[in-house]
Amino acid sequence: MGDLSGNRVAGLCLAILTCGCGTHQQVPENRPSGEETTEEFVLTDVAMHWGIDFEDSPRHLGEFRLPAIMGSGCAVLDFDRNGLLDILLIAADSEQNNCALYSQKKIGTFVNLADELGIKQLQGTGVAVGDCNNDAWPDLYVTSDGSDSLWLNVDGSEFRNITQSSGISNQRWGVSACWVDYDRDGWLDLFVTNYVDYQHQSCTRLGGGGADFCGPHLFPLTPDLLLRNITGTNGGHVAFADVSEASGISSGLSAGLGVTAKDFTGDGWPDIYVASDQHPNLLWVNHEGEFVNDSVLRGCDTDFKGHAQASMGLALGDIDHDGTEDLVVSHLDGEAHAVYSEDSAGFFTDRSRETGVAAPTRHATGFGISAADFNLDGRSELFTANGRVKRPDNASSSVDFWEPYRQPLQHLMPIDRQYQDGAVPLSTHLARGLAVGDLDRDGDPDMVISTIGERSVVLRNMRQNANRWVVLRVVDLHHGGRSCPGARLFFSSTNGDFERTFQPCQSYAGTNADEIYVGLGLNNRIHTIDIVWPDGDLTAEQFDMQNRINEIVPLIRGEGKLVNEHVHLD
């Protein structure tokens, strides 16, 4: 897009401020009454209270088809730009509905508008939320074990299926997708990680006996998909070109389940990481638009013993408390979460044991995962959505088909620099997707969790402390006012320096809210934030954050000041 006129910029600024980017904040309703607690916060399931009644109930249970146990993801987004976050839940083949989009009209009041918005028939495995045409309205890319689809958001009033007209075609089993401007031209491209080439067959449970779901090792691996956004050269009509082969992406095979993107190597070009089920993970290093899988060289393909694991979900967060982001990967029970800590630019060591993450995560099968600061003390916690993929050997017969697969959700807190299970017991589910967002607009992150065979879960963060916070939006008016996945933020604060990457596409088959949640504890203050934008040159733009406490702060490109020297990206 060309330069915007002053009037148009002013209009877009006003739209951003009135649609959730500004400092105005609605006062939350009175919190539901509950038992007294001495914990800093509790997580309360408010799905029923808020009217979230979506349930993924797969059909044909007796056939034990693999897509049924893999479940589907979820997303937190502001599709109508009213400043309140909405909830999207999907399913692939449910007995009732396969899609629900709950619009939040006021805090805690949700209405399912899937029918009115034209997406009642939408179905799939995963969803990636991003703006494909630079108009600031979030669009939907939906993966599927049949055919993926792209849905264009028309001014928050409807979604149109533009899959065919945009040139998109993926007939493989897509699971997770990620919006990333890989060629740094100002238009968001799409990376889709495909699972195995599944052809249904009968399998029995471990050790023999009754029927159960098959494992992925029985099916061929598949290549992933990279779609380049060519809307800017197509007269503004949304269009994508399949560049999987030309970019080198199709040269690798995986059983991909999770994907995220950031500049792992520090050269200014976004790289792509794929979690592969029971096969080595992939790190696609971006060489100015061409990709090479360097996961073996860089130490993030297997666990610390060199064993490939059943990798599912991904989360970015500072787990070893050194100010830089680590990459956490969730796994099958019997395996520990991996914590890939960066030793130097783009080189990693699995420090799951040193951080204390290994021991408590061996006992469950983790899918959706988040490294977020739920109590706002300035340190990342780990939350995992768990659920088995195999019936345990000692499982008794049950009227509830899904009961043997359920496991407790898990919350790990850093205590004396070691991660340990939180003190509050959590409920048991067959959980898959996990998406984070501040649903009640009180500054701390809440969670949406997709489940199988029961109502989805919405965990409201009932924080009891007085810790302070800021919520950040990263906005570029010259790209229509959309957010900027891949932007790197470098914080200078009273308690030291740290960094974050703005990337909503994490977890498993879903998308977090279009915001960054920063906990400050009782005393920390942010002085400045330097942003390296995901397109253009690498000169950082600095934003003054003095006295910005307990508010939503839009960081709008061009409103800071350029830093004379490039930020050190290593």
Side-chain angles (χ1 to χ4, degrees), residues 22 75 147 200 242 253 262 266 278 324 350 386 406 410 493 495:
S147 180
H200 181 62
D242 185 346
L253 301 177
K262 63 167 282 186
Q278 297 189 9
T324 62
D350 179 7
N386 295 319
R406 295 189 176 111
Q410 186 171 50
S493 77
N495 291 349

Side-chain angles (χ1 to χ4, degrees), residues 78-89:
D78 184 6
F79 83 91
D80 53 5
R81 289 170 38 189
N82 70 348
L84 298 177
L85 296 177
D86 313 303
I87 296 172
L88 176 63
L89 292 155

